[in-house]
Amino acid sequence: MNISDFLKALVPFTNDELDDILKHFKKEAIPKNQMLVRQGEVSKTLYFIESGLGRSYYLNQAGKEITQWFFGSGKFMASADSFFQQCPSLYFIEVLEDAVIYSITKEKLDELFDTYPKMEKLGRLVTTEMLTKVVNKLNAIQFQTAKERYEYMLAEFPDISYQVSLGHIASYLGMTQETLSRIRKSNSRK
């Protein structure tokens, strides 16, 4: 999904407003496996994924990567607390497959919020959606069985099993790869 369609679907921007807003974004092609933010860095950029896939992850005490979130086409991607609070990121942000993204700095986004009240509405809508998804994931991890968490993930990211490694998926779901393999096998028999 391109950013213009995304923005218009959420907020009724005029064509002039939209043209000016889009001037603040930088469009670029990002190759697979490129790191956009490293743990400990301050995230200065918010990304919108036109095509491709990204993820955020952290390293646990044993140095193992634990996937926190996947970001697909038509979604914003950031280390949100780092970007909005301008504090060091707890997460790495990487591109998992070749991607086309739009990026905007915190300063430019703040300018747009000051210039266009509709941008503040957009920010509120996007933030509410992100918060709801994070709460849903926390609820899934706390209250659902491993199989229910897997089904929740497939509802959220239908093609994810074709796009990323089983290790990334298992860590996102908070389970071992062996448990994930058993669940996948039992689902394929249905």
Side-chain angles (χ1 to χ4, degrees), residues 31-50:
K32 177 180 181 174
N33 298 325
Q34 182 165 326
M35 196 68 60
L36 299 176
V37 177
R38 295 187 185 284
Q39 188 177 36
E41 293 178 349
V42 174
S43 178
K44 298 187 183 314
T45 308
L46 177 68
Y47 304 95
F48 178 84
I49 303 175
E50 181 175 280

Side-chain angles (χ1 to χ4, degrees), residues 24-74:
H24 289 75
F25 284 84
K26 177 182 172 187
K27 183 177 181 180
E28 52 192 318
I30 304 292
K32 177 180 181 174
N33 298 325
Q34 182 165 326
M35 196 68 60
L36 299 176
V37 177
R38 295 187 185 284
Q39 188 177 36
E41 293 178 349
V42 174
S43 178
K44 298 187 183 314
T45 308
L46 177 68
Y47 304 95
F48 178 84
I49 303 175
E50 181 175 280
S51 64
L53 183 71
R55 77 168 175 139
S56 61
Y57 70 93
Y58 65 94
L59 301 177
N60 68 11
Q61 291 179 343
K64 182 179 177 184
E65 293 179 5
I66 306 297
T67 299
Q68 182 235 8
W69 202 260
F70 294 109
F71 303 92
S73 176

Side-chain angles (χ1 to χ4, degrees), residues 32-33 52-57 65 67 69-72 94-98 150 153-154 157-173 177 180 184:
K32 177 180 181 174
N33 298 325
L53 183 71
R55 77 168 175 139
S56 61
Y57 70 93
E65 293 179 5
T67 299
W69 202 260
F70 294 109
F71 303 92
E94 76 172 327
V95 174
L96 294 175
E97 58 186 29
D98 291 344
Y150 177 71
M153 182 206 62
L154 289 179
F157 307 104
D159 298 323
I160 199 77
S161 58
Y162 305 108
Q163 296 174 290
V164 303
S165 73
L166 289 181
H168 290 343
I169 293 171
S171 72
Y172 172 77
L173 294 171
Q177 287 189 50
L180 177 59
R184 287 171 47 118

Side-chain angles (χ1 to χ4, degrees), residues 114-131:
D114 289 341
T115 304
Y116 298 107
K118 291 178 189 176
M119 278 299 293
E120 287 192 327
K121 179 179 180 181
L122 175 80
R124 183 172 32 85
L125 293 171
V126 169
T127 302
T128 300
E129 178 191 10
M130 289 174 70
L131 178 60

Side-chain angles (χ1 to χ4, degrees), residues 77-94:
M77 176 172 67
S79 178
D81 56 336
S82 177
F83 178 76
F84 289 108
Q85 300 297 317
Q86 290 297 280
C87 62
S89 177
L90 299 173
Y91 302 99
F92 295 88
I93 305 286
E94 76 172 327

